[in-house]
Amino acid sequence: MKSDAVKKGMQQAPHRSLFNALGMTKEELERPLVGIVCSYNEIVPGHMNLDKIAQAVKMGVAMAGGTPIMFPAIAVCDGIAMGHTGMKYSLVTRDLIADSTECMALAHQFDALVMIPNCDKNVPGLLMAAARVNVPTVFVSGGPMLAGHVKGQKRSLSSMFEAVGSYAAGTMTEEDVCEFENKVCPTCGSCSGMYTANSMNCLTEVLGMGLRGNGTIPAVYSERIKLAKHAGMAVMDMYRKNIRPRDIMTKEAIHNALTVDMALGCSTNSMLHLPAIAHEIGYDIDISIANEISAKTPNICHLAPAGPTYMEDLNEAGGVYAVMNELAEIGLLNTDCMTVTGKTVGENIKGCRNLNPEVIRPVDNPYSKTGGLAVLKGNLAPDGSVVKRSAVVPEMLEHEGPARVFECEEDAIAAIKGGKIVKGDVVVIRYEGPKGGPGMREMLNPTSAIAGMGLGSSVALITDGRFSGASRGASIGHVSPEAAVGGPIALVEEGDMIHININENTITLKVSDEELAARKAKWQPKAPNVTTGYLARYASLVTSGDKGAILKNN
């Protein structure tokens, strides 16, 4: 056992004395030590139930012959952090979570781990840590929130942000907004649409790191507690079989995740997190591969905000495994990949039927023949940019309009809500990238304001920042290189024409090469927004969005 390094022999007598201080018995120390990495807290709705999940996991581990020991991981609620300085501290926690979990797991020599995340950065951060530590590891999340019900319709957090925009446009009353406020988030859990948290929890199933249902069983269902107990049992089976994360998270598994991502219509943030996870296993992705995968992968789900269905509906329709089975039948998945069950992907998904073709469309009747995400390149984004194609209305798949340029998110929101953005405009928000923000803030407030003002089918938004999975419309993020390092987005001037063609994966600033070169010669870097603390250290180490905003190993 790996944990023998802290348990056995005369040299370890001081270590055992500290286990005695914890109240551990000799019998417990004779078993494998299993770290239960739990991001429970009282500020994130998706995490308020994780104490119950952790207790169920601990019971499963103990039932299967291990000694469970819990330690924490941090979490930021993106919704609460949205639209102010706090959002600078969201993406940056992914690497903090990975680093701190690596430290705890290796410092204490755990034999195995069970990861209990739920929200946006916790899932990828803990997947990164799992790859680094590489001891038997299972993921079990807290599960998605049930959808809210307002005026007879299912609603979610994105509806709430758009309601604020509608109020600004004068099309919704304060009483209407208050009703949304009190009804759109009715339970604990990760917000109920296919936003980043649920995207990543679904992809843990695809990667083979979570059990069936991990991405879709609602947080308030008792089935979630049973899943947690089975996760505890599963990690002990992995321990006995010596199945480790790097046996599971392979290049082929990453490609499976990208494929199912396209079918589900996941958040654009997955195009930050999957490259970062892949980097931890030694596979550096060129994000353009997303277009190759998208070209052959049908988009068969339109969950909120792209459509009227929610995570609870996907769960009832057969969940992620049913989606995977649809794709496997037309040869789009590598079914030989190993999983935490000790079985292959093919063995796991065999017989998992699509129970509702309105929620999961059959592959011969997709929403579109191509996937939910697209990477756009051109002279405005030479290294790429990302858009959630499945959440773009058909009339905005190709768009040309004048640039309306803003140096930060707050200025753009003020202009949108002040009626200064009109039909046809292309809103450009820059200096919000990984280094320039720093922290690559999500732009849910401006995209929701555009939708709420009735401009969602006529205005595009381009940024070197990123978007919430709750954003919809022609929202193009991760523009690389970013403005802070002198990328072309830094050279855009008010009124420049920008042409977007999502069908052809292009984004073009209609300015001559000579003019761009002249602007580049005059460009001066902006003074850093932050010069002290964690954000300053992050800004000095982070790479661009197209590389997954990973930290350089200097």
Side-chain angles (χ1 to χ4, degrees):
M1 284 188 278
K2 186 183 183 77
S3 61
D4 286 351
V6 295
K7 295 189 309 189
K8 288 196 172 179
M10 186 54 66
Q11 285 294 114
Q12 280 65 43
H15 306 67
R16 290 194 297 274
S17 72
L18 293 167
F19 282 111
N20 287 333
L22 290 166
M24 276 200 188
T25 64
K26 179 174 177 288
E27 290 81 4
E28 286 175 295
L29 289 178
E30 288 173 348
R31 296 179 169 197
L33 301 186
V34 181
I36 313 299
V37 190
C38 182
S39 56
Y40 166 76
N41 60 59
E42 295 180 339
I43 188 63
V44 185
H47 294 229
M48 63 184 282
N49 64 321
L50 297 191
D51 55 340
K52 309 293 189 300
I53 300 295
Q55 290 305 315
V57 168
K58 289 172 73 174
M59 181 173 288
V61 168
M63 287 168 64
T67 296
I69 305 170
M70 188 166 65
F71 65 87
I74 64 167
V76 164
C77 176
D78 277 21
I80 295 173
M82 194 71 65
H84 55 87
T85 302
M87 182 45 71
K88 294 177 185 288
Y89 287 89
S90 172
L91 177 62
V92 304
T93 64
R94 183 190 70 188
D95 298 271
L96 200 55
I97 290 161
D99 292 347
S100 58
T101 302
E102 173 193 355
C103 291
M104 287 293 287
L106 295 178
H108 301 102
Q109 294 291 288
F110 286 105
D111 296 298
L113 299 167
V114 180
M115 305 294 199
I116 310 176
N118 208 28
C119 289
D120 300 28
K121 312 309 163 308
N122 299 83
V123 185
L126 291 177
L127 283 164
M128 291 161 68
R132 290 183 201 171
V133 177
N134 202 37
V135 296
T137 303
V138 174
F139 276 67
V140 58
S141 77
M145 186 184 290
L146 293 178
H149 292 263
V150 184
K151 301 185 189 307
Q153 289 186 304
K154 284 186 177 181
R155 297 290 189 179
S156 61
L157 185 65
S158 54
S159 309
M160 184 71 252
F161 278 90
E162 290 178 15
V164 174
S166 297
Y167 176 76
T171 58
M172 190 174 280
T173 67
E174 186 174 346
E175 289 75 19
D176 288 332
V177 174
C178 186
E179 184 178 4
F180 271 76
E181 183 180 327
N182 288 308
K183 292 182 177 179
V184 296
C185 296
T187 73
C188 63
S190 48
C191 297
S192 56
M194 187 55 80
Y195 310 147
T196 308
N198 292 326
S199 295
M200 293 310 302
N201 280 319
C202 286
L203 295 183
T204 59
E205 289 191 54
V206 185
L207 286 168
M209 292 297 293
L211 298 176
R212 182 182 183 183
N214 185 54
T216 61
I217 297 171
V220 293
Y221 283 15
S222 297
E223 190 67 25
R224 176 64 57 178
I225 299 296
K226 293 165 68 175
L227 181 76
K229 291 174 184 175
H230 282 129
M233 297 177 206
V235 82
M236 293 309 300
D237 189 50
M238 288 179 73
Y239 172 76
R240 285 186 283 270
K241 294 175 178 175
N242 196 28
I243 299 171
R244 299 168 181 254
R246 287 184 210 163
D247 301 324
I248 296 169
M249 290 192 286
T250 60
K251 178 178 177 180
E252 292 75 20
I254 296 289
H255 286 193
N256 279 351
L258 283 166
T259 300
V260 178
D261 187 319
M262 295 297 172
L264 284 172
C266 289
S267 163
T268 51
N269 282 313
S270 63
M271 291 305 297
L272 283 174
H273 301 322
L274 286 174
I277 294 161
H279 179 74
E280 296 293 343
I281 63 165
Y283 172 40
D284 288 321
I285 294 177
D286 177 346
I287 61 168
S288 296
I289 194 175
N291 290 338
E292 296 174 32
I293 292 172
S294 177
K296 59 186 179 183
T297 306
N299 175 228
I300 59 177
C301 293
H302 263 194
L303 288 96
T309 53
Y310 294 81
M311 296 305 296
E312 62 202 65
D313 302 312
L314 178 59
N315 187 61
E316 295 301 320
V320 175
Y321 275 22
V323 173
M324 293 173 72
N325 203 32
E326 288 278 351
L327 299 175
E329 286 180 0
I330 56 172
L332 293 181
L333 290 185
N334 185 318
T335 55
D336 294 329
C337 293
M338 179 52 62
T339 73
V340 294
T341 64
K343 298 178 180 178
T344 64
V345 166
E347 291 172 309
N348 283 346
I349 66 175
K350 186 177 181 181
C352 294
R353 294 185 300 111
N354 178 358
L355 303 176
N356 188 340
E358 298 300 314
V359 176
I360 305 171
R361 286 198 175 182
V363 289
D364 57 2
N365 181 35
Y367 285 100
S368 65
K369 292 181 179 179
T370 53
L373 297 180
V375 173
L376 313 185
K377 287 190 174 184
N379 67 343
L380 184 54
D383 295 336
S385 60
V386 182
V387 63
K388 188 171 183 175
R389 174 170 32 204
S390 60
V392 179
V393 294
E395 56 265 39
M396 288 298 289
L397 290 172
E398 184 171 1
H399 179 77
E400 184 171 307
R404 305 297 310 281
V405 183
F406 302 94
E407 307 297 296
C408 67
E409 177 190 6
E410 288 83 356
D411 291 350
I413 293 169
I416 296 164
K417 290 186 176 177
K420 295 178 181 178
I421 302 302
V422 299
K423 182 178 180 180
D425 283 347
V426 178
V427 176
V428 176
I429 306 176
R430 62 191 179 193
Y431 293 100
E432 290 285 7
K435 196 176 286 288
M440 205 178 186
R441 288 196 288 180
E442 286 188 343
M443 302 291 156
L444 179 56
N445 271 349
T447 58
S448 298
I450 287 169
M453 297 288 281
L455 297 170
S457 61
S458 60
V459 169
L461 194 155
I462 297 171
T463 181
D464 52 7
R466 61 194 179 92
F467 295 105
S468 165
S471 291
R472 61 188 176 99
S475 305
I476 300 161
H478 310 192
V479 170
S480 301
E482 63 174 291
V485 298
I489 192 172
L491 310 177
V492 181
E493 294 182 358
E494 187 81 7
D496 286 347
M497 296 303 289
I498 295 175
H499 184 83
I500 299 159
N501 192 325
I502 296 172
N503 289 323
E504 294 186 3
N505 303 319
T506 61
I507 182 167
T508 307
L509 177 62
K510 301 189 84 171
V511 172
S512 70
D513 293 344
E514 293 77 14
E515 172 62 16
L516 282 178
R519 292 181 189 180
K520 179 73 175 187
K522 295 180 195 173
W523 178 80
Q524 294 292 323
K526 277 181 67 175
N529 290 332
V530 179
T531 57
T532 60
Y534 179 60
L535 283 182
R537 190 159 66 251
Y538 179 88
S540 71
L541 294 173
V542 71
T543 61
S544 63
D546 68 296
K547 300 291 190 295
I550 60 174
L551 301 185
K552 292 176 288 189
N553 290 321
N554 286 344

